[in-house]
Amino acid sequence: MAQPLDIASLNGEFLPLAEARISPLDRGFLFGDAIYEVIPVYAGVPHLLDAHIARLERSLAAIDIPLPHDAGAWRHLVTELIRRNDGGAMAIYIQVSRGAETGRDHVYATDTRPTVFAMATELQPHDYSDGVSAITLPDERWARCDIKATALLANVLARQKAAAAGAVDAILIDGDEVTEGAVSSVILVEQQTLVRRPHGNEVLPGTTTDHVIALAREAGYACREELIPVQRMLAADEVWLTGATKGIAPVVRIDGSPVGTGRPGPVWTAVNRLYEAAAS
Ligand SMILES: Cc1ncc(COP(=O)(O)O)c(C=O)c1O
């Protein structure tokens, strides 16, 4: 488990995480009425910060929470948290809930002050030299997975099943089609071409998958956006899981069967090198 660092931020105040207090009437606690972001930091520098702030603002707008900060203030919050936690490698978690009201009611007041909480956690290094394994599970989430909502019960249960199976993540299947991982996006490689599902309500628009696709295109790889039937994924040369704190994880086994050669593939090796160079 990634351990939190000392200094957090609550509603504009920087304080030790152990001293941060939130009301039990906060709608984030009562209803999961909240959104979040996770921003990786390498050598004290936040990675893809603008993309994370843009998605944070998009998530807030999608659930009708008024923007508590402009982009400059989000940037300041992130850089200040990094500085107060002594820089280096970490992940910044930001959560914005609709705030605390005087009681519990599904209907919300439109003038409630949002609760803005942020903390820094350790960013653990990965060793992907032998690849990772994944399992498949039915996608049992709601119909707006494009919103980075903190209501993650279905993701939590799926990720727990993956962990119990010794897998890094569960790849979720809706009907016959791959949507995404419980905590990651999915990219296939078929004969040197990268394939991913188009963004839409069924998946989170991943900052890492967008960045990886852009890097691969620049390097001359063809990239396509298509729906992915599960059999197509299982027959792919390579399968990758991407995420802000995960980077690009090469999947070498799915439900116990090998992917491609059963080893991290050559396209992963090439694109991961570009990704690591861009992230350092
Ligand atoms: C459900 C889901 N999909 C995709 C991703 C990848 O998004 P990003 O690359 O922005 O971290 C995540 C990351 O946590 C996720 O939880």
Side-chain angles (χ1 to χ4, degrees):
M1 184 182 298
Q3 292 301 310
L5 304 177
D6 286 345
I7 303 300
S9 168
L10 183 60
N11 297 326
E13 187 191 348
F14 291 91
L15 72 180
L17 176 61
E19 291 173 17
R21 296 284 177 273
I22 292 171
S23 165
L25 291 180
D26 194 281
R27 296 182 63 96
F29 178 66
L30 292 176
F31 294 108
D33 189 350
I35 59 88
Y36 74 109
E37 269 300 323
V38 180
I39 304 154
V41 176
Y42 304 106
V45 180
H47 188 52
L48 306 176
L49 181 57
D50 289 350
H52 284 283
I53 292 173
R55 189 173 62 186
L56 180 70
E57 292 181 339
R58 180 183 180 281
S59 295
L60 287 167
I63 67 165
D64 190 29
I65 292 183
L67 290 186
H69 294 314
D70 62 16
W74 290 122
R75 254 182 240 117
H76 174 72
L77 170 60
V78 170
T79 49
E80 198 53 26
L81 255 190
I82 296 169
R83 191 183 70 76
R84 289 177 188 243
N85 285 293
D86 300 330
M90 64 183 82
I92 301 292
Y93 175 89
I94 302 176
Q95 169 166 336
V96 184
S97 82
R98 201 178 303 279
E101 296 174 333
T102 54
R104 179 184 180 277
D105 192 336
H106 286 66
V107 177
Y108 53 85
T110 50
D111 58 353
T112 303
R113 189 182 69 149
T115 302
V116 180
F117 169 68
M119 64 177 170
T121 61
E122 287 174 349
L123 188 60
Q124 282 152 352
H126 311 287
D127 177 5
Y128 291 145
S129 49
D130 290 329
V132 298
S133 59
I135 58 171
T136 58
L137 285 176
D139 192 341
E140 294 178 337
R141 301 172 303 159
W142 71 324
R144 289 301 307 277
C145 294
D146 57 315
I147 301 170
K148 200 163 170 65
T150 61
L152 286 169
L153 190 51
N155 306 59
V156 164
L157 296 176
R159 179 67 185 79
Q160 184 71 15
K161 282 189 184 153
V168 75
D169 203 359
I171 298 175
L172 304 176
I173 312 297
D174 180 17
D176 181 42
E177 279 153 12
V178 174
T179 49
E180 59 185 335
V183 294
S184 58
S185 313
V186 176
I187 296 176
L188 312 186
V189 180
E190 295 173 333
Q191 296 174 345
Q192 307 275 312
T193 296
L194 276 63
V195 184
R196 70 161 179 189
R197 185 184 174 112
H199 292 334
N201 290 359
E202 308 80 11
V203 291
L204 186 74
T207 56
T208 317
T209 183
D210 284 352
H211 177 58
V212 168
I213 294 289
L215 287 174
R217 280 212 169 101
E218 265 174 45
Y221 291 98
C223 301
R224 292 215 300 262
E225 298 194 348
E226 290 171 2
L227 293 180
I228 302 171
V230 64
Q231 285 308 324
R232 180 174 176 184
M233 173 179 73
L234 298 177
D237 299 325
E238 301 182 28
V239 175
W240 307 344
L241 296 177
T242 67
T245 58
K246 189 180 262 79
I248 315 174
V251 180
V252 296
R253 294 187 87 74
I254 299 179
D255 294 333
S257 298
V259 174
T261 63
R263 300 286 310 160
V267 182
W268 174 78
T269 304
V271 175
N272 190 54
R273 197 172 292 138
L274 299 174
Y275 178 84
E276 290 194 338
S280 60

